[in-house]
Amino acid sequence: MKRKKSDRALLKTNLFVCAIILLGFLATSIVSYRSNLGVFEEDTEKVTVLTAEGIYRQIESIFMKPMGVSLTMAGDTLLQDLLRQEGAHLNDGDYVATLTAYLDSYREKYGYDSVFLVSARTGRYYHFDGIDRTLSPENGEDAWYYDFLQAGESYSLNVDNDQAAGNTITVFINCLISGDDGVPLGVVGVGFDISTLQSLLREYEERFSLRACLVDRDGIIQVATDHTGYERTDLFASPPYAGLRESLLADRENATAFWHDGKEGRVYLGSHYIPSLSWYLLVENDTSPQTQQMQRKLAEGALIVALVVLGVTLAISYIIHTYNRRIVELTRSSEQSRRSIFQEATEQLFENIYELDITHNRAANLETQRYFESLGVPPGTPYNEALKIVAEKQIRKDFRQGYIDTFAPEHVIDTYRRGEESLQYDFMISTDGEHYYWMRIVAQIVLWKEDQSIHMFTYRQNIDTMKRQEKQVLDQIQRDPMTGLLNKTATQAQIQQLLEGGGQQLRAFFIVDIDNFKQVNDRFGHAVGDRVILHFAQSLKGAFREEDVVGRIGGDEFAVFLALPDRATAEQKAREILKTLNRPLSLDEGVCPLSASIGIALAPADGRDFGSLYRHADTALYTVKQQGKGGFALYGGETSPH
């Protein structure tokens, strides 16, 4: 009887303990699940933001060069002159060949899939292979051209099939060519295969298990791995984007990101406006597969524990001990797995990741401490002092103070209190004290929940190649494609900058014009004319110093700007130039006589801005032309023959 009571009591005890274990497991699992889910969503947000930033920078880099080339062609006075002459050469094969050669030279030089020109006068679509077709408002495939003219913008982008290149889907950069009176002369631009952008998006999608696309202001997908703008697919016509048009496309100033409940789970959506393209970069990170996997693991764990609890009756204490130990191990394993996934994802984008405890002014882990010590920072040195030592040893002098000010503890804390969670600084760094390269540090500021301290994660990214490419593209944009001299826009900008900082220093502005250049083209052809211009430009450049401004401002017109001690030196320099330039050029086609005329204006006497100096020098040049050419004249002075 007592045994039965004891058995019943033991059974009740075991059932009670089992119930407690089951309830405890369920409670612990739910808390752990929610905690891990929260951490997972935080990681998802960070990885999505970093991925969007990476795609944004690479897209800007891809479009920078073709946009610069298109704008250069649109501003080329030679092309403008050819368009003005089109009415007189409608049936002239040589004229078409000249335009074709011009377009083909850009295609071969920069390797684009398409280079085109549309004449506003005739609607002719010139391609690098000749005249492709004549555009018409009645043809729906030509709507892009008339929409662009009506919009009144200087440039635009569109995705279309390239009829002149086998109907391949192409991204076109269109630039407006305007005459001096502002009336459109035509549209010129380049195009490249859309697969370039699709490959970039596909690489990020496969690496980070998300989806990215580019849409225009109307929500039409322009570039995605499975769509192009040619298909005119409205992104917001289907989930998970249905009804989110205003939320994602309203803000063009700041990046937008938020969570949205999709059909199968939570989706993190981000929007980033790209001003130079007038497109939005949208990134979608669907976490439902990972969430479902976590839920399956939770169910599997519950089933395992339920089976284990059935054998608790004989070894209840052992089972409890084992259960607790397994919970600890699972928790640690989950945390380690989360950290490993996040670290692997971020290290693919950045060189090194370090963690700082800003509140307590110290390194937050052993790896960061060892990094400081490898640079000669004594153990136990406060973070703010270690920051100065690192700056002294690695950062180039002109970037040191900015580096220290950006990542100083007080600035990090102020930044976080203002509601901002990231910092960024670009600078030049060296590991040997001699050779410097560009580095970017992106810092993420977080609140450590355990002790309410502020921590900062710093991600180091080598951006030397990107910086050099930006400088190279900028230099190409400022150069005349034929001669390599500064183009008209860059020439004017540099001269104006020197005038604004020059004070009362005497400077000379030369306009140098090739005499009878039209006769050279008529007699020998445009190809020889181009060689004459190149020879003339090289000779002119060789006559001046490296710091002097030498540029091509028209078809056969050049400008030079330099500092001189007196007026007599300007006259002497003009004689030297004429002596160099007024020489016949021997060619296979024959001897080409060459001479030049020069108009000179002096600053500040004749003007303190580019426009005034140009008008006065042009007046002097006109005087030389009227009196026989081949000489020079100073504004307000007499003409001097060569």
Side-chain angles (χ1 to χ4, degrees), residues 358 361 383-384 387-388 402-415 423 456:
I358 299 301
N361 196 23
Y383 162 64
N384 62 334
L387 189 68
K388 298 176 182 177
Y403 173 82
I404 294 172
D405 293 342
T406 300
F407 301 111
E410 54 272 17
H411 182 248
V412 175
I413 294 173
D414 289 343
T415 300
L423 291 169
M456 179 175 69

Side-chain angles (χ1 to χ4, degrees), residues 550-569:
V550 182
R552 182 186 180 195
I553 59 175
D556 59 344
E557 188 174 77
F558 300 81
V560 182
F561 189 71
L562 69 161
L564 294 172
D566 50 43
R567 181 187 182 95
T569 305

Side-chain angles (χ1 to χ4, degrees), residues 85 513-530 532-533 556 587 589 591-595 625 628-629:
Q85 299 168 15
D513 185 82
I514 303 176
D515 295 329
N516 306 315
F517 182 69
K518 185 177 182 303
Q519 297 177 14
V520 174
N521 277 334
D522 294 342
R523 179 180 174 186
F524 296 99
H526 288 284
V528 172
D530 290 347
V532 168
I533 287 178
D556 59 344
L587 303 167
E589 294 82 354
V591 177
C592 177
L594 284 181
S595 66
K625 294 285 189 179
K629 306 178 182 179

